[in-house]
Amino acid sequence: MENNFDEITERRNTNCFKWDLDGGDILPMWVADMDFKTAPAVIQALAERTSHGIFGYSLTPPAFYKAITGWWNKRHGLSISKDWIVPTPGILPALSATLTGLTSKDSKVVIQPPVYNHFFVTIEHGDCQLVENNLVYEEGQYHIDFEDLDKKLAAPEVKLFLLSNPHNPAGRVWTREELQRIGDISLKNKVIVLSDEIHSDLVYKEHSHIPFASLGEEYSLNSVTFGSPSKTFNLAGLQTAYLFTENEELRKTITEVLQKQEMTLLNVFGIEGLIAAYEKGETWLDELRTYLYDNYLYLKTFCSTFLPEAGISPLEGTYLVWINCNAFGIHSDALAGRLLQNEQLRISPGSIFGKPGDYFIRVNIACPRSLLQEGLERLARELRKAGPA
Ligand SMILES: Cc1ncc(COP(=O)(O)O)c(C=O)c1O
């Protein structure tokens, strides 16, 4: 490997959300950012931009759009036109503007818990009502209840279906067949699909990311896709993302909201970071994926030896491992509290991802292996105290 992902970079006292929120000796394995330096090409591009010394308002240049279209083409085989792309300062702001534009008061939005906790907040802030199409957990794996989805999308107030593709926190990379069924049910019920593909570049082994928009023109026209280099290249602090849709009317409506909310200008460094990452970051990313998957295998081996009762969900994508702690008989809120207090370890309690997550935890494994090992030892010590129920 050219890149050394074992290297520990001190992040404390850098205003780091993950490390400085608690401070002290807390080992953070929660919020979805990585303890790795980004790709060298990105660091170099940002250093060059810094040396210019002037950081006034920035245009979003043609190279920005070219980098995005090139990336989706080479990494995911999806051909998108630059005209479909709308830059945004993050996926959550983009989702929020989309909800504002495409719903009215009391519209309903369907999600699939356990799912990314901020979806709940964004829908609430958008004055919409939430409808849950819970994923089904069977033999340690998640799948979609399509019958229930059809029923839920049939309600006339349901305007949008918000999909996490790949799925945070279940770690699923949805197959073409699954996505096609979602697409067909949505088309039949005239519900627009919002496909959040922020984790699309972090998929492993035999799994490949299927962009929702790649299913065919009809599906593409009935959807909006949300993308970003922020998870892939650890650039969340640069606040740079985008959405794209082939549907001109949807694009126009969302763009108008973004304009009204004064959210059309991007961060100078975010623009440079995205271009460098997408143009020159592929080798780094492929090495990162190998390292992350090895971390997952390390976690699995560790748990099969020291925590055999813990149910490790297969990690098809993302760097967030979803662990079933039902056997220990302790609610995830209580477990998270005990881990923080007794072991100085912060993980995400499954409860924040919706009721089906109550007895699960989510562990972020995007860190040097020595930190992962330390975190797992702390986790095991506390869970062994709880013991199997
Ligand atoms: C599924 C999903 N969507 C969106 C976000 C947040 O995106 P942004 O930081 O661009 O708003 C995250 C962050 O963890 C996520 O997991």
Side-chain angles (χ1 to χ4, degrees):
M1 275 202 191
E2 264 175 46
N3 298 282
N4 180 10
F5 295 100
D6 283 329
E7 184 189 348
I8 296 182
T9 304
E10 179 60 58
R11 297 186 72 190
R12 289 185 190 93
N13 302 315
T14 61
N15 302 325
C16 172
F17 199 77
K18 188 177 181 184
W19 284 82
D20 287 330
L21 189 73
D22 295 304
D25 290 332
I26 302 291
L27 182 58
M29 299 181 85
W30 58 295
V31 65
D33 82 14
M34 305 194 276
D35 294 325
F36 305 121
K37 285 185 185 167
T38 187
V42 177
I43 297 173
Q44 194 188 339
L46 298 184
E48 279 167 21
R49 186 64 186 82
T50 302
S51 70
H52 182 251
I54 299 178
F55 311 113
Y57 298 117
S58 187
L59 292 169
T60 312
F64 178 87
Y65 298 89
K66 188 165 163 274
I68 297 170
T69 57
W71 184 258
W72 282 83
N73 204 339
K74 66 189 170 193
R75 297 300 293 192
H76 306 301
L78 177 69
S79 175
I80 54 179
S81 155
K82 65 177 178 19
D83 304 328
W84 301 359
I85 300 169
V86 181
T88 70
I91 293 212
L92 290 175
L95 278 175
S96 167
T98 303
L99 257 57
T100 303
L102 304 185
T103 61
S104 47
K105 200 166 164 41
D106 299 328
S107 291
K108 294 184 176 170
V109 181
V110 175
I111 56 171
Q112 297 182 301
V115 75
Y116 176 49
N117 49 322
H118 253 284
F119 282 180
F120 295 86
V121 179
T122 306
I123 292 170
E124 194 190 323
H125 287 174
D127 277 339
C128 294
Q129 287 178 36
L130 194 104
V131 178
E132 303 189 6
N133 165 234
N134 289 343
L135 295 179
V136 179
Y137 186 68
E138 248 169 12
E139 291 172 19
Q141 179 62 289
Y142 281 94
H143 60 88
I144 296 172
D145 183 345
F146 286 104
E147 219 174 285
D148 181 66
L149 182 66
D150 199 2
K151 242 188 255 157
K152 302 272 163 75
L153 295 198
E157 313 82 44
V158 171
K159 303 296 174 209
L160 302 172
F161 173 60
L162 177 47
L163 174 71
S164 183
N165 174 34
H167 192 278
N168 170 13
R172 280 293 322 276
V173 173
W174 302 119
T175 63
R176 185 176 297 282
E177 292 68 32
E178 286 169 318
L179 292 169
Q180 196 105 34
R181 279 183 84 176
I182 290 174
D184 290 338
I185 293 171
S186 304
L187 278 168
K188 184 180 99 181
N189 291 299
K190 298 193 171 35
V191 171
I192 294 161
V193 176
L194 307 182
S195 190
D196 179 345
E197 304 193 4
I198 194 169
H199 295 283
S200 54
D201 300 315
L202 298 167
V203 304
Y204 309 111
K205 299 289 165 189
E206 70 276 17
H207 302 281
S208 46
H209 174 68
I210 312 287
F212 187 84
S214 71
L215 296 175
E217 196 182 352
E218 229 189 334
Y219 303 90
S220 172
L221 286 168
N222 192 47
S223 66
V224 183
T225 299
F226 300 82
S228 169
S230 70
K231 298 292 166 222
T232 317
F233 291 96
N234 211 21
L235 303 178
L238 295 186
Q239 263 110 21
T240 298
Y242 51 88
L243 60 87
F244 61 81
T245 173
E246 185 173 0
N247 186 318
E248 199 180 335
E249 204 182 309
L250 293 180
R251 203 162 59 236
K252 196 163 155 266
T253 308
I254 301 166
T255 304
E256 276 168 14
V257 179
L258 287 165
Q259 282 164 347
K260 278 191 198 152
Q261 296 177 339
E262 314 293 355
M263 275 206 296
T264 50
L265 284 188
L266 288 202
N267 176 302
V268 177
F269 291 102
I271 293 167
E272 299 300 335
L274 179 145
I275 295 170
Y278 281 178
E279 295 286 351
K280 298 179 188 152
E282 278 200 277
T283 309
W284 179 88
L285 172 59
D286 290 333
E287 290 188 6
L288 170 75
R289 286 163 58 236
T290 302
Y291 192 88
L292 289 174
Y293 198 73
D294 285 347
N295 265 5
Y296 167 65
L297 295 179
Y298 181 90
L299 176 145
K300 275 216 335 182
T301 307
F302 180 97
C303 289
S304 66
T305 312
F306 299 105
L307 288 171
E309 306 87 354
I312 313 299
S313 296
L315 193 71
E316 299 175 354
T318 84
Y319 48 70
L320 306 161
V321 182
W322 187 240
I323 304 179
N324 182 354
C325 294
N326 248 293
F328 301 95
I330 170 170
H331 189 278
S332 61
D333 290 344
L335 177 57
R338 275 165 54 168
L339 284 167
L340 198 58
Q341 195 172 4
N342 301 338
E343 291 292 341
Q344 289 74 50
L345 176 69
R346 187 185 275 278
I347 48 80
S348 303
S351 60
I352 65 172
F353 305 96
K355 187 105 188 90
D358 274 356
Y359 286 83
F360 288 73
I361 57 172
R362 193 192 74 174
V363 176
N364 179 346
I365 60 163
C367 59
R369 198 147 306 138
S370 56
L371 293 184
L372 175 64
Q373 183 184 353
E374 173 65 32
L376 290 173
E377 281 166 9
R378 295 185 191 194
L379 177 68
R381 264 198 304 269
E382 193 57 40
L383 276 176
R384 291 262 59 94
K385 272 192 239 162

